[in-house]
Amino acid sequence: MDCQPIVDKTYKKVLAMENSGNVASYIPELAKVDDTKFGVCLTTQNGEVFTAGDATVKFSIQSIAKVLSLSLVLSKIGDDLWKRMDFEPSGTAFNSLVQLESENGIPRNPLINAGAIVVCDIICELFDNPKKALLDYVREVSGIEDLQYSENIAHSEQQTGYRNFALANFIKSFNNIKNTCDQVTDLYFYLCSIEMTCEQLSYTFGFLANRGKQFNTGKTIVTPNQAKRINAIMQTCGFYDEAGEFAYKVGLPGKSGVGGGMVAILPGSYAIAVWSPKLNKQGNSYRGMKFLQYFTDETQDTVF
Ligand code: GLN
């Protein structure tokens, strides 16, 4: 199906609206980004690619990468993951500590910071060189052979990552972190530092639209049931305290990051990535939300 006319029409509509919100400034490196950037890319199971705007400009994917660390760990240890965390929506901000106290250091889900930090701890347990293992995995899934971590972004977040240090230490006090907090937060900051373009990101997430198999190559990244479950977790937890609104407005599983990126999946069909750095109050891209809402309203694509 030729999606280009609807991509173009929706892009123009959102571009003409006010570009509201603020770029994330608590990570100094992210505050330097040009907030007028706006890119879209939709990649289909059949290999079609539809783009608009800054689709080939690299940006920091931040928490979108939490889906990839989750895929890696699920493919390695399967349901044992759920001994260390839950898969329930949190209804709280991405960096919240509040539920950990009453829930004995068991994070609500793997897509909030607390859960992603425990996932990083598991990666540290599984591999001798966790940073390399994670990068190799993301290279494989994305097909970007020369992908590197962004040292600038990782270091920048390391300087100001007080919340994440607090989370790691708090979880460790319940014995749900096995390595040192420094090892685990280091891996977490590098995970969040990964950069991709909208084109690369939509291809990377194709496996979740394709029963766990990479677009083009057909290589198995996760099993069909793991893909189903990752999509379910994105649907219920991918947008933190805005997950309900995203489901209501967009109707697809998806994930956001504070770099202003967003991906959404139509299982059996496509993955779409949108990037615009200004964020709403919940830390999700303002234009990204608008674009995906108008796009799926127009195409009537939904999982519901
Ligand atoms: N690196 C960011 C943080 O830990 C990721 C948050 C996000 O993208 N929502 O604060």
Side-chain angles (χ1 to χ4, degrees), residues 90-100 112-115 163-164 167:
S90 65
T92 57
F94 62 88
N95 56 5
S96 175
L97 283 96
V98 73
Q99 289 155 332
L100 286 168
I112 48 174
N113 290 18
R163 275 280 181 143
N164 292 315
L167 278 165

Side-chain angles (χ1 to χ4, degrees), residues 71-143:
S71 307
L72 169 59
V73 166
L74 260 189
S75 66
K76 289 280 171 202
I77 68 167
D79 287 344
D80 280 349
L81 174 62
W82 310 122
K83 295 177 184 156
R84 305 279 301 272
M85 68 189 65
D86 221 327
F87 40 74
E88 292 299 335
S90 65
T92 57
F94 62 88
N95 56 5
S96 175
L97 283 96
V98 73
Q99 289 155 332
L100 286 168
E101 182 160 31
S102 56
E103 292 171 13
N104 297 319
I106 298 292
R108 277 249 145 174
N109 68 68
L111 299 184
I112 48 174
N113 290 18
I117 287 170
V118 173
V119 167
C120 284
D121 183 52
I122 298 171
I123 295 173
C124 289
E125 287 179 89
L126 288 171
F127 301 98
D128 292 339
N129 187 342
K131 242 190 241 177
K132 181 176 182 303
L134 180 63
L135 186 61
D136 285 346
Y137 179 75
V138 180
R139 283 179 175 169
E140 184 193 341
V141 178
S142 65

Side-chain angles (χ1 to χ4, degrees), residues 26-27 62-63 66 94 113 157 164 188 192 240 256-259:
Y26 74 101
I27 302 173
Q62 290 292 322
S63 285
K66 290 172 182 168
F94 62 88
N113 290 18
E157 191 166 1
N164 292 315
Y188 174 78
C192 294
Y240 323 113
S256 63
V258 289

Side-chain angles (χ1 to χ4, degrees), residues 241-263:
D241 44 343
E242 207 176 13
E245 190 162 334
F246 189 79
Y248 180 82
K249 289 185 171 165
V250 178
L252 300 176
K255 183 73 199 89
S256 63
V258 289
M262 225 173 239
V263 285

